[in-house]
Every structure is written in C-alpha cells, then in structure tokens.
Amino acid sequence: MQTSTTSRRRLRAALVAAVMGASAFSGTGMAHAEGDPTAWISSDEMTIMSMEKCANQSEEYRFRLYYSPDYKGAWVNIGHNIYDMLALKMPYSPARPLYFCPNTGTGSGQVAGNNAASAYNWYEGYIGTVYYSAGYKGAFDMVGARSGHSTLWNTRNDNRSIQFSRPW
C-alpha cells in the first residue's frame, strides 16, 4: 500500500527526471546527471547485478559504505534505498546479502550489513540515512549531501538499511 508521501516523492522524481532529460543536451553533447537514489525499484536485482556497485566512480551509485573507519578498507557503492542489506530481494531466487566489493581492501567479500564503519555521500541533492534495523528503523546516522561520516557513531557495525531523501 502506497502512502501519499511516497506517491508525491515518485511524482517529484519523475518530474525532475523529465526536466533533466529535456535540458540535458548542449552544443557539445549530452550532460551527465547523477542518478536518483529515491526512484522506486521493483527488486534489489539492480544492486546485486550492477557493475556500478564496485566501480571506482559512478554517476548512478554515489553513496559508499566502508568496512573500516576513516573511509578505509573494503567498500560498496549504493544507488537506491535498501530495505535490508542482509536480505536483498531477487525476482526468481532467494534473498541474499549485499557484500563489500572484492579486492578493495580489508573486509573484501564480507557481508556489508552490520559490518560498515564509515560512509561517504557524493550525491548533490540527497541525504543518505543509514539505519540500525531493516525497514529504515532504529538508531541512524544521516550523511548529508557531498559529505561523509568517518565513523558511523550510531550504527557502526550495526547497520541494516539505507534510505535516501531530499533535504527540502
């Protein structure tokens, strides 16, 4: 069941995308715009299967969780809300956890849920909130646009979900 707030967010995201798409052309080609982490997705398959989650830089996945404090150790990029990092939903297979990317440092290949110690948010217009519990509940750490937390004080190694929002 959708709430009117959720419907308004989706409508707003669609309108922003339409305006961005219409104004994205310039004389030299197409301009790059960051992805919309609040856009609705039907499953977590995008996160599990995407090469962007382990890319050094990404326009679509601009929030990064780190295994260690001070933005060190293994990492994984996030590009949309995640209801439960320990149980990403797939269309035709059992749920599975989100993992830190291979060959990115200490903690590589470990489950990201309940294992992240710091986070950085490269999104211009979105706040990323890391929650203690699945379903965007419990203690949380808000990571403002274009900033980070060298230590997730409220959710360090106890983080299950991530939700994005606009600061307005």
Side-chain angles (χ1 to χ4, degrees), residues 22-139:
S23 63
F25 294 97
S26 67
T28 60
M30 192 191 249
H32 289 285
E34 69 183 13
D36 179 359
T38 64
W40 183 82
I41 60 167
S42 60
S43 78
D44 293 312
E45 184 174 18
M46 283 175 47
T47 295
I48 292 171
M49 304 307 281
S50 175
M51 299 298 287
E52 299 290 310
K53 77 177 182 217
C54 292
N56 283 328
Q57 293 182 336
S58 171
E59 289 299 317
E60 296 292 321
Y61 287 64
R62 298 180 65 134
F63 188 91
R64 186 175 283 182
L65 289 175
Y66 292 89
Y67 181 79
S68 300
D70 299 321
Y71 319 115
K72 294 182 180 166
W75 47 264
V76 64
N77 297 325
I78 310 292
H80 61 84
N81 296 333
I82 297 182
Y83 189 83
D84 186 353
M85 288 191 281
L86 296 181
L88 295 176
K89 293 178 178 35
M90 295 291 288
Y92 302 106
S93 64
R96 52 193 199 191
L98 178 66
Y99 292 94
F100 286 109
C101 298
N103 304 316
T104 57
T106 303
S108 291
Q110 297 290 315
V111 172
N114 290 335
N115 261 337
S118 58
Y120 199 89
N121 180 8
W122 280 278
Y123 282 107
E124 287 283 341
Y126 300 95
I127 295 167
T129 305
V130 180
Y131 288 91
Y132 179 87
S133 298
Y136 322 119
K137 296 177 185 167

